[in-house]
Amino acid sequence: MSPRWRKVWRDLTGHRFRTLLVVLSIAVGIFAITVVMGGRGILLREFEAVYAESMAPTITFDVDAADSSVVRAVERVEGVRMAEGRRTFPVRFTGGEQPRGVLSAGWDTLQVHAVANIATARIERTTLEAGRSWPPGAGEVLLERSVNMMSEYEPGDVITVETASGTRATLNVVGLVHDINAFPAHFVAGPTGYVSMETLRMLDEPDYFSTILAVAEGEPTQAEASRLAMSIRDDVLISRGVRVMRTSVPEPGSHFLGDIFRGVSLLLLALGVLSLFLSGFLVVTTVQAIMSQQVSQVGIMKAIGGRADQVTWMYLVMVTVYGLFAVVVGMPAGAAAGRWFTGFAADLLNFRVTSYAPPAYVVALGVAVGIAVPLLAAIVPVRAGTRISVVKALNATGMSGTSFGHGLIDRALGLLRGLPRPVALSLRNTFLRKGRLALTLITLTLASAVVMSVMSVRTSILATVDEVDMWRFDAQFYFALPQSAEAVDRIASRVEGVVAVSSMPEYRAVLSRADGSESDGIDIIGVVPESDFVAPRVTAGRWLEPTDASAIVLNSDVVKSEPELAVGTNATFNLLGEERDFEVVGVVTAGLMGPVAFTPSGYLDSLAGGTGAVTRLQVRTPTSEPTEQMRVARLVEQRLEERSVPVAFTQTQSEQRDQVASQLGILVTFLAIMGVILSVVGVIGLTGTMTINVLESTREIGVMRAIGASHGSIYQIFVTEGVVIALIAWALGALISYPMSFLLLDMLETAMGLPLTFEYSWAGVGIWLVAVVVIAVGASLLPAFRAAQVSVRDAIAYE
Amino acid sequence: MSTPADMSDAVIDLRGVVKVYDTGEVPFTALKGVDLTVRSGEFVGLVGKSGSGKTTLINMITGIDHPTEGEVNVGGTPVHALNENQLAMWRGRTIGVVFQFFQLLPTLTVIENVMLPMDFCNMYASAERPERAMHLLEQVEMADQAFKLPSALSGGQQQRVAIARALANDPPILAADEPTGNLDSKTADAVFRLFEELVDAHKTIVMVTHDSDIAARVRRALVVSDGEIVEETVHRPRTERRGI
Ligand SMILES: Nc1ncnc2c1ncn2[C@@H]1O[C@H](COP(=O)(O)OP(=O)(O)OP(=O)(O)O)[C@@H](O)[C@H]1O
Ligand SMILES: [Mg+2]
């Protein structure tokens, strides 16, 4: 090896600590990108793959009764690729074999799918994850695997189910399946189960289909799919005497978790881009610092005949080696963390991951950040070093500080008299290396801004959860069949612990559009306008008034899918088999309820024939403590069941809140993970800068030691420097985080189609202040330790 | 006045060289129009008070720094007109430089430091280089320390290695800025005698020195003061003096 390559080799191997630091700084950047961008890439790719493979239906019809001949007729329609029927209905269930006498109060809801042969189903395909019997036989049930996010079930377990009509049966759990088209159990507080048609007889359920699933040929647009759905409904189903309750044509290819998914993916993309910048700055800072240390050596080499290109190559090779090491360290670490992260996300969103390999573009990005960015970063100082005159390069050694005394910052520092001398000295040190300071500040400021924004987005999401619910109940009960309002109110209000009751009618309707087409189902709920059980947040027009009759208030989800509906317009709904006209008087926030509309309960009841029937009951308890809500809810449920009022579904306010929170909570969790990753980048960045500052100040430290500085004051100097840098980054980051979190939230809103309440997290600013000081002290301790080790001899060794 | 004949063997020729530093608060003129001609084989000493401009002047000759005004011709090359890259190549083969401070690369051993200029300028076959470097180190009596790192050497030892490195490519000119400044009188004398031998071997040497003893022993001593050459002393040739 020739002397100049030997120099490169020695610089790399001789300064192991420095090499480690540089490699680590670059690696952490690669790591962040591989985790964030890789995680996003894997998530999108695998979700797409699993979802495409599941063969989601283009059209879903909810019908009263249909047999295989109807399904075959649907399948024969031109434009339909395939059609299948199944029976879906909710039952209440609990683990173990329950004796007759035990009431079903407090049991969970199981959404049962009865399918002829789930193993060969062509639509909404499921995958067997664990189990023996596939497809399940009579008396056997397969559970959707997300049930385990609620409580553990495994093949061999037994469950007891009770249908709406009161029939009970014991079913053997014979396996766990994954169904990407089923709502994850933890999202809707109820799992999905799959049985064969034979099992229906055991449950006293008729064995005809209640759902017809159809997959269209090719890739139709939603409008085309809607037209197809209309023609099937009118020409095939209705003409065969099948009553169609609901026709659902989701946007083709969009999963029901699509909104959350888009939200997560967008956040990851935004944070990925930010961490790309962050890593870029970190890498540039580190490489430039290393280079600036070499300037005088560049001067020597040029003075003794080294050509610019020769010297440049030496450093570019050196930086490439740093980059290669960083890729070798950062890429696998990032891939491993990405694997964990994706697995975590896959569990939460309930989809399978078949390959954890990061997408090629992420690998390319990682390599680019690991090698190309350091090279680019090195070119500037190397070229500067090789282009400046030798005399300048040589003068770069010795005591720094030639430029001190100029500039605003310096003058400002001059004003801060009365500071302890070591502190003044470290501040002077901090501002001496202005270029470095700028780069370090940009890196740390960016990290701080992102962490604080992430905390604000989190706070905003939680605030949204709190404001989401327009109901003011402690527990609510849904009835499978309409019940007498008078009866349920009387039963409930006699229950100990119930202080107020409110019951309401609620009917599924469809909007008849001007062009003759129909909307998806919209629930019309009858409310007492002045009731204190509702606290609507009106965004346009007004809330209902006691004198209103055919007035209707829509929630923003309705307006979003039916934009022609505005305050003052008329809306025609197909409700209970008849077309009814309503005047739109207001719009309220959606509150994660899906498309819902409100009309005075008296008016709705009169439309339904004045029977006084209700389908939902809400009660209030003296406290909104979750256990108290639960206790009273169980009591009410029990009392209703005893009086032969079957309850289909019970929910306390805190359960509902938890459910909403768990969906948005996924975002919060992702944000928290990202915050941690970015903080790590910040910590390593600051440690790196501090260490380089120590390396560069070796001579100064030596001189200070020579004139009597103690270990303590050396520590004080470097820790103060680190803390000052961190505090500036914190302050600047806090300023940036306000608009940044606003922007992030805005993007999230657009991506998820969900209005979120912006709430800036002042607590986050405070927490990060504490964190940043701790980080700064931590990040400066190691460099300060090294600084304290510098001997006078080392410092003045070669000059 | 220089005659045309003088001009023909002038290896260093400075005309009206002005150097203004504007790095400080106010621009500072360190050289105020210096004219200097050095003929081949001359041994020139630059003396003068600290801050008078000696380093600045020698940096003009080596091309380490650029003149603000004026021309610098060394070995027929217009140094002031070369760019940094051309300068580096030219310097590597033409001028050996010894700095006021010892400028060895800290991560290379003594012998590697000496081989570095050969490597950069691609002089001598690679197999030949260690042998040649060793030979140069022998000349400065540093051969026994060849495989040490510079940090393990004393100041004077480092200075001698720097001289060996300056001679690596066998340049016709040697420019040394206080090469004996950090040395004891005995070592300084050894270095000076080494320089004398180099002059005998037809090298041209320009050397800055504070040491009046040494200044008195060079053939031609120039006194620099406030950025100007104010006095010139030409001693009798060494051979004649020895004859006394
Ligand atoms: N980079 C610079 N910027 C501004 N002024 C400079 C610079 N370098 C040198 N000077 C000034 O130019 C003058 C000549 O400096 P020079 O280094 O040539 O002196 P010198 O004769 O070599 O001194 P010494 O014997 O102490 O080495 C000095 O007054 C010095 O202050
Ligand atoms: Mg000098």
Side-chain angles (χ1 to χ4, degrees):
Chain A
M1 211 184 333
S2 65
R4 71 186 126 125
W5 296 116
R6 225 170 286 173
K7 167 174 159 44
V8 173
W9 172 250
R10 301 257 171 80
D11 279 345
L12 286 166
T13 57
H15 299 270
R16 280 199 205 101
F17 181 75
R18 193 180 67 190
T19 301
L20 189 77
L21 186 88
V22 177
V23 167
L24 215 64
S25 297
I26 304 175
V28 83
I30 302 173
F31 172 84
I33 285 161
T34 317
V35 177
V36 179
M37 298 295 250
R40 175 176 178 272
I42 299 170
L43 232 55
L44 289 177
R45 180 188 66 205
E46 296 297 314
F47 188 81
E48 291 293 313
V50 174
Y51 188 54
E53 200 187 303
S54 77
M55 203 50 80
T58 320
I59 307 163
T60 306
F61 298 102
D62 287 348
V63 298
D64 59 344
D67 57 18
S68 338
S69 69
V70 175
V71 174
R72 279 197 299 276
V74 171
E75 204 164 28
R76 279 196 300 271
V77 172
E78 168 141 15
V80 174
R81 188 164 148 211
M82 49 191 161
E84 276 179 5
R86 48 176 71 182
R87 182 166 190 81
T88 59
F89 56 99
V91 298
R92 320 210 68 200
F93 90 107
T94 192
E97 206 171 329
Q98 301 295 334
R100 278 256 136 238
V102 176
L103 282 176
S104 62
W107 292 14
D108 287 318
T109 304
L110 176 73
Q111 199 63 36
V112 178
H113 285 226
V115 190
N117 183 346
I118 187 126
T120 58
R122 294 171 302 159
I123 308 179
E124 289 198 358
R125 285 185 199 155
T126 54
T127 322
L128 187 68
E129 295 228 318
R132 320 180 270 234
S133 198
W134 176 248
E140 295 180 336
V141 65
L142 293 166
L143 293 178
E144 211 288 321
R145 67 167 194 177
S146 59
V147 68
N148 285 325
M149 299 289 279
M150 297 174 63
S151 51
E152 285 284 326
Y153 283 98
E154 54 185 23
D157 286 348
V158 170
I159 60 169
T160 304
V161 300
E162 185 186 271
T163 63
S165 49
T167 307
R168 277 201 190 177
T170 315
L171 298 177
N172 293 317
V173 178
V174 292
L176 293 175
V177 296
H178 174 228
D179 181 357
I180 198 169
N181 290 294
F183 277 101
H186 50 291
F187 274 32
V188 289
T192 309
Y194 307 84
V195 299
S196 64
M197 299 306 273
E198 294 82 68
T199 309
L200 289 177
R201 275 185 285 282
M202 297 175 57
L203 299 172
D204 290 335
E205 282 282 321
D207 66 354
Y208 41 74
F209 303 133
S210 64
T211 303
I212 297 174
L213 310 170
V215 173
E217 296 274 10
E219 284 171 12
T221 62
Q222 190 170 20
E224 287 162 1
S226 282
R227 250 173 276 133
L228 181 64
M230 293 306 159
S231 76
I232 296 172
R233 188 193 60 183
D234 298 341
D235 307 342
V236 181
L237 302 177
I238 295 178
S239 69
R240 278 178 172 70
V242 176
R243 235 187 94 198
V244 179
M245 262 93 74
R246 197 168 83 104
T247 308
S248 159
V249 185
E251 192 180 314
S254 83
H255 186 259
F256 53 84
L257 286 180
D259 285 348
I260 297 233
F261 218 80
R262 265 193 295 281
V264 168
S265 141
L266 178 101
L267 272 182
L268 290 180
L269 183 64
L271 294 175
V273 170
L274 285 174
S275 52
L276 192 66
F277 274 110
L278 203 61
S279 313
F281 276 119
L282 184 57
V283 168
V284 171
T285 315
T286 313
V287 170
Q288 295 217 337
I290 290 300
M291 286 305 127
S292 74
Q293 273 195 287
Q294 294 280 335
V295 171
S296 63
Q297 298 201 25
V298 170
I300 301 169
M301 289 189 282
K302 285 183 63 184
I304 60 170
R307 285 193 321 259
D309 61 316
Q310 289 174 323
V311 177
T312 305
W313 269 113
M314 290 171 64
Y315 287 103
L316 294 187
V317 166
M318 182 163 123
V319 169
T320 308
V321 173
Y322 282 138
L324 282 175
F325 272 120
V327 169
V328 166
V329 173
M331 194 73 91
R339 186 192 179 96
W340 169 81
F341 174 72
T342 320
F344 173 78
D347 272 350
L348 276 181
L349 300 171
N350 197 31
F351 68 95
R352 275 170 302 129
V353 177
T354 50
S355 158
Y356 284 99
Y361 73 89
V362 174
V363 175
L365 212 60
V367 172
V369 166
I371 295 173
V373 173
L375 281 179
L376 285 176
I379 278 177
V380 178
V382 168
R383 274 180 66 91
T386 53
R387 278 167 101 197
I388 60 167
S389 65
V390 180
V391 73
K392 281 213 192 92
L394 291 178
N395 284 343
T397 39
M399 304 285 271
S400 51
T402 42
S403 70
F404 198 76
H406 317 291
L408 267 179
I409 298 173
D410 302 340
R411 244 169 268 149
L413 273 177
L415 295 176
L416 295 171
R417 301 198 188 282
L419 285 173
R421 202 162 318 137
V423 176
L425 185 62
S426 51
L427 290 185
R428 187 177 162 278
N429 274 340
T430 310
F431 292 105
L432 255 178
R433 307 174 189 88
K434 292 202 190 74
R436 168 88 37 76
L437 178 69
L439 275 175
T440 310
L441 270 181
I442 291 175
T443 315
L444 263 187
T445 302
L446 202 56
S448 297
V450 172
V451 170
M452 284 185 269
S453 307
V454 159
M455 289 200 255
S456 279
V457 171
R458 180 178 169 277
T459 312
S460 302
I461 287 175
L462 292 178
T464 308
V465 172
D466 278 337
E467 288 183 16
V468 120
D469 196 19
M470 59 174 283
W471 302 107
R472 294 286 173 268
F473 64 84
D474 288 302
Q476 66 176 345
F477 310 85
Y478 288 90
F479 306 120
L481 305 162
Q483 301 292 328
S484 147
E486 197 204 339
V488 296
D489 284 0
R490 194 181 57 238
I491 296 168
S493 54
R494 286 202 195 134
V495 173
E496 173 258 322
V498 172
V499 294
V501 300
S502 163
S503 56
M504 59 203 72
E506 179 172 346
Y507 298 99
R508 177 58 61 96
V510 290
L511 179 76
S512 306
R513 300 195 188 102
D515 63 0
S517 65
E518 285 184 354
S519 71
D520 275 352
I522 295 170
D523 286 323
I524 298 185
I525 304 173
V527 291
V528 177
E530 65 273 30
S531 165
D532 59 357
F533 274 80
V534 281
R537 293 201 299 145
V538 179
T539 56
R542 60 172 176 85
W543 181 238
L544 300 170
E545 279 165 13
T547 51
D548 283 336
S550 64
I552 198 162
V553 170
L554 310 173
N555 79 356
S556 52
D557 274 352
V558 176
V559 180
K560 203 174 69 189
S561 53
E562 308 297 333
E564 73 278 13
L565 292 185
V567 173
T569 60
N570 272 330
T572 307
F573 284 93
N574 188 325
L575 173 66
L576 298 163
E578 278 182 57
E579 303 267 305
R580 314 275 187 183
D581 281 336
F582 289 88
E583 188 201 339
V584 178
V585 296
V587 177
V588 294
T589 55
L592 297 182
M593 284 184 293
V596 168
F598 304 89
T599 192
S601 56
Y603 181 67
L604 187 59
D605 187 46
S606 72
L607 295 182
T611 56
V614 292
T615 47
R616 194 199 304 207
L617 168 72
Q618 297 181 336
V619 304
R620 265 214 296 267
T621 60
T623 73
S624 31
E625 218 254 309
T627 52
E628 177 64 8
Q629 288 180 341
M630 187 65 85
R631 191 187 68 82
V632 175
R634 295 290 161 256
L635 272 178
V636 172
E637 200 182 330
Q638 197 171 337
R639 217 50 60 75
L640 288 166
E641 300 256 338
E642 283 165 4
R643 304 263 184 318
S644 307
V645 179
V647 176
F649 181 58
T650 305
Q651 189 185 42
T652 66
Q653 177 264 334
S654 33
E655 276 177 339
Q656 191 193 37
R657 186 180 183 279
D658 287 351
Q659 257 177 55
V660 174
S662 81
Q663 302 192 23
L664 291 174
I666 291 180
L667 290 178
V668 173
T669 312
F670 280 72
L671 286 170
I673 294 174
M674 291 307 127
V676 169
I677 291 177
L678 292 171
S679 310
V680 169
V681 176
V683 171
I684 296 203
L686 186 61
T687 314
T689 309
M690 294 302 302
T691 310
I692 288 161
N693 282 353
V694 169
L695 291 173
E696 273 186 7
S697 320
T698 303
R699 200 155 284 140
E700 282 172 11
I701 299 164
V703 173
M704 286 191 288
R705 302 278 289 140
I707 59 174
S710 66
H711 277 285
S713 28
I714 301 278
Y715 269 93
Q716 199 186 350
I717 285 167
F718 282 95
V719 172
T720 309
E721 181 173 348
V723 170
V724 166
I725 293 178
L727 285 179
I728 297 175
W730 166 81
L732 294 177
L735 281 180
I736 298 174
S737 76
Y738 196 93
M740 191 188 262
S741 41
F742 197 83
L743 215 73
L744 268 178
L745 209 69
D746 196 57
M747 298 196 306
L748 259 185
E749 277 190 342
T750 321
M752 299 179 58
L754 185 76
L756 297 168
T757 314
F758 177 68
E759 194 172 307
Y760 187 69
S761 170
W762 293 104
V765 175
I767 292 168
W768 186 241
L769 170 63
V770 175
V772 98
V773 170
V774 172
I775 286 171
V777 171
S780 330
L781 275 180
L782 183 62
F785 170 76
R786 287 184 66 89
Q789 302 304 303
V790 169
S791 71
V792 181
R793 209 205 81 82
D794 291 342
I796 56 173
Y798 41 87
E799 198 166 285
Chain B
M1 277 301 283
S2 329
T3 64
D6 287 338
M7 281 300 295
S8 64
D9 61 347
V11 279
I12 300 172
D13 187 34
L14 273 65
R15 293 286 167 90
V17 169
V18 173
K19 177 66 187 178
V20 180
Y21 287 116
D22 37 26
T23 45
E25 300 259 303
V26 284
F28 178 83
T29 308
L31 294 180
K32 302 171 178 167
V34 173
D35 295 317
L36 171 65
T37 306
V38 177
R39 281 191 302 274
S40 177
E42 259 191 323
F43 190 176
V44 178
L46 294 174
V47 292
K49 290 206 309 284
S50 177
S52 55
K54 306 181 296 293
T55 299
T56 308
L57 180 56
I58 208 164
N59 281 351
M60 296 296 126
I61 297 169
T62 55
I64 280 177
D65 207 354
H66 295 276
T68 311
E69 267 176 48
E71 288 179 16
V72 180
N73 286 290
V74 177
T77 307
V79 177
H80 57 275
L82 297 185
N83 65 27
E84 281 291 322
N85 220 8
Q86 293 166 324
L87 271 174
M89 274 192 290
W90 165 81
R91 194 187 302 117
R93 291 163 192 251
T94 321
I95 292 199
V97 187
V98 179
F99 303 105
Q100 187 166 2
F101 302 111
F102 315 129
Q103 302 282 4
L104 300 179
L105 293 191
T107 49
L108 291 183
T109 61
V110 163
I111 189 164
E112 284 163 356
N113 262 290
V114 176
M115 278 159 33
L116 195 57
M118 311 182 206
D119 182 19
F120 277 134
C121 296
N122 207 13
M123 298 279 278
Y124 312 101
S126 1
E128 223 179 285
R129 289 174 193 167
E131 202 186 319
R132 175 169 169 78
M134 211 56 181
H135 175 71
L136 290 167
L137 286 172
E138 270 161 22
Q139 274 190 296
V140 296
E141 288 165 29
M142 284 298 296
D144 50 339
Q145 317 272 359
F147 299 99
K148 284 189 174 174
L149 286 175
S151 54
L153 300 184
S154 75
Q157 289 172 324
Q158 290 186 34
Q159 186 67 289
R160 280 185 275 158
V161 175
I163 293 167
R165 188 180 62 185
L167 299 171
N169 289 338
D170 197 21
I173 304 167
L174 197 67
D177 193 353
E178 298 202 35
T180 59
N182 294 286
L183 306 181
D184 64 278
S185 57
K186 205 165 146 255
T187 321
D189 195 54
V191 168
F192 185 73
R193 260 186 279 116
L194 176 64
F195 279 16
E196 283 182 325
E197 282 163 30
L198 292 169
V199 173
D200 287 345
H202 308 294
K203 302 239 180 261
T204 309
I205 298 184
V206 179
M207 178 178 89
V208 172
T209 184
H210 264 128
D211 189 331
S212 47
D213 267 4
I214 287 189
R217 284 163 64 185
V218 295
R219 198 167 132 219
R220 186 177 168 207
L222 303 171
V223 180
V224 182
S225 175
D226 267 344
E228 283 170 310
I229 297 178
V230 291
E231 205 186 311
E232 174 163 354
T233 324
V234 179
H235 302 285
R236 279 172 296 159
R238 201 156 27 98
T239 43
E240 289 171 36
R241 268 207 303 167
R242 259 186 209 159
I244 294 171

